[in-house]
Amino acid sequence: MSVNKEIKRVTTHSIQAMKVNGEKIAMLTAYDFSMAKIVDDAGVDVILVGDSASNVMAGHETTLPITLDQMIYHASSVVRAANRALVVVDLPFGSYQGNSKEALSSAIRIMKESGAHAVKLEGGIEIAESVSRILTAGIPVMGHLGLTPQSIYKFGTYTVRAKKEAEAQKLREDALKLQELGCFAVVLEKIPAALAQEVSASLQIPTIGIGAGQHCDGQVLVIHDMLGINKGFRPRFLRQYASLYDVMNDAIKGYVGDVKAKDFPNEREQY
Ligand SMILES: Nc1nc(=O)c2c([nH]1)NC[C@@H]1CN(c3ccc(C(=O)N[C@@H](CCC(=O)O)C(=O)O)cc3)CN21
Ligand SMILES: CC(C)C(=O)C(=O)O
Ligand SMILES: [Mg+2]
């Protein structure tokens, strides 16, 4: 057990207290040690080791290909960097949909092999048994409703979800079910702001929005998107806080130029 007297760790309980106190929860993704260190030092409350690593780390089109072993590798790197943030890890596609026993063993592997603090699963009532079994083992679970990228081939597009009343009603029921089961928070992805506001008000547990408006109890973005590293991705819900693609590209061009011009290394940079 590591003890750090200076920094108080964010817990599933403290983020629930933040909802009660009206303090918004700031969550970002990270997938590696160096980035997680920057994110943690900046005061982010929750670091999500998202299966979006499949896109931004591995270059896949969807989140489906990333494996449980790869998620554990990313998560263990992030855990070594995070001194303050609560670290939540996505269960990847195929590691929990089969049955609740498989879901539990995947969640246990993440907790045991990475040292993370909680897991996140996509879905509602369909995965209730899995969520319940993981919770029974003492592993905190974050839910994820609305746009669930692991089911992209079922829907065909990344458009706004739950615009029709039937889908909105299912989302309300799913959110209540996840709370009833004992989830400590739920991500609401790309749904109408009014629906997210209503769900946030009706739940005791915090909602974390991405493209779900200003009334969620917290917000999440993919770090590469908000830093402007992932240049092509500009959905309406994304606010870009830097243009790091350009900053890094310029720096690297400078290096290439200096090497080609025989300017680097100079006399002071050698032995
Ligand atoms: N880099 C990255 N950022 C993310 O936010 C993210 C991932 N990867 N991978 C996993 C999921 C997929 N997510 C997505 C993917 C696309 C849109 C999206 O809105 N895309 C387009 C087109 C949508 C449409 O068909 O209408 C957009 O311009 O909004 C939103 C969230 C969110 N997650
Ligand atoms: C976008 C967030 C919520 C996510 O699930 C991910 O990054 O994988
Ligand atoms: Mg995800």
Side-chain angles (χ1 to χ4, degrees), residues 54-117:
S54 182
N55 306 101
V56 295
M57 292 280 107
H60 292 296
E61 197 68 48
T62 71
T63 57
L64 276 68
I66 199 162
T67 66
L68 184 58
D69 286 324
Q70 289 165 342
M71 288 303 295
I72 289 168
Y73 165 74
H74 288 298
S76 60
S77 307
V78 168
V79 166
R80 284 190 286 272
N83 292 319
R84 176 180 174 274
L86 178 77
V87 179
V88 182
V89 183
D90 267 344
L91 281 191
F93 176 68
S95 74
Y96 65 97
Q97 289 89 348
N99 57 59
S100 64
K101 189 176 173 206
E102 184 190 47
L104 175 60
S105 63
S106 299
I108 287 176
R109 278 202 61 202
I110 286 179
M111 300 300 281
K112 214 186 238 312
E113 297 176 39
S114 77
H117 311 122

Side-chain angles (χ1 to χ4, degrees), residues 181-246:
L181 291 169
C183 288
F184 72 93
V186 58
V187 166
L188 300 177
E189 178 162 353
K190 224 175 159 182
I191 63 169
L195 177 62
Q197 175 172 20
E198 184 199 324
V199 170
S200 302
S202 75
L203 293 185
Q204 256 121 31
I205 59 171
T207 59
I208 316 279
I210 171 164
Q214 57 190 323
H215 298 288
C216 292
D217 304 300
Q219 294 295 326
V220 59
L221 286 174
V222 166
I223 186 79
H224 293 71
D225 300 343
M226 64 88 74
L227 292 178
I229 298 172
N230 188 20
K231 232 185 164 184
F233 189 71
R234 305 280 335 238
R236 194 209 301 198
F237 67 77
L238 174 65
R239 187 180 293 180
Q240 209 177 285
Y241 287 85
S243 300
L244 288 200
Y245 181 96
D246 297 323

Side-chain angles (χ1 to χ4, degrees), residues 94-172:
S95 74
Y96 65 97
Q97 289 89 348
N99 57 59
S100 64
K101 189 176 173 206
E102 184 190 47
L104 175 60
S105 63
S106 299
I108 287 176
R109 278 202 61 202
I110 286 179
M111 300 300 281
K112 214 186 238 312
E113 297 176 39
S114 77
H117 311 122
V119 297
K120 177 162 81 59
L121 283 72
E122 294 181 7
I125 287 155
E126 327 77 69
I127 58 156
E129 196 185 311
S130 296
V131 168
S132 171
R133 202 153 169 183
I134 295 168
L135 286 164
T136 303
I139 301 170
V141 175
M142 179 179 276
H144 183 159
L145 298 171
L147 199 175
T148 48
Q150 292 177 13
S151 330
I152 182 59
Y153 293 118
K154 176 173 158 187
F155 295 99
T157 66
Y158 289 99
T159 47
V160 180
R161 298 296 198 264
K163 279 178 94 170
K164 296 207 180 98
E165 183 46 34
E167 217 194 318
Q169 191 49 34
K170 162 112 172 57
L171 191 140
R172 289 184 194 101

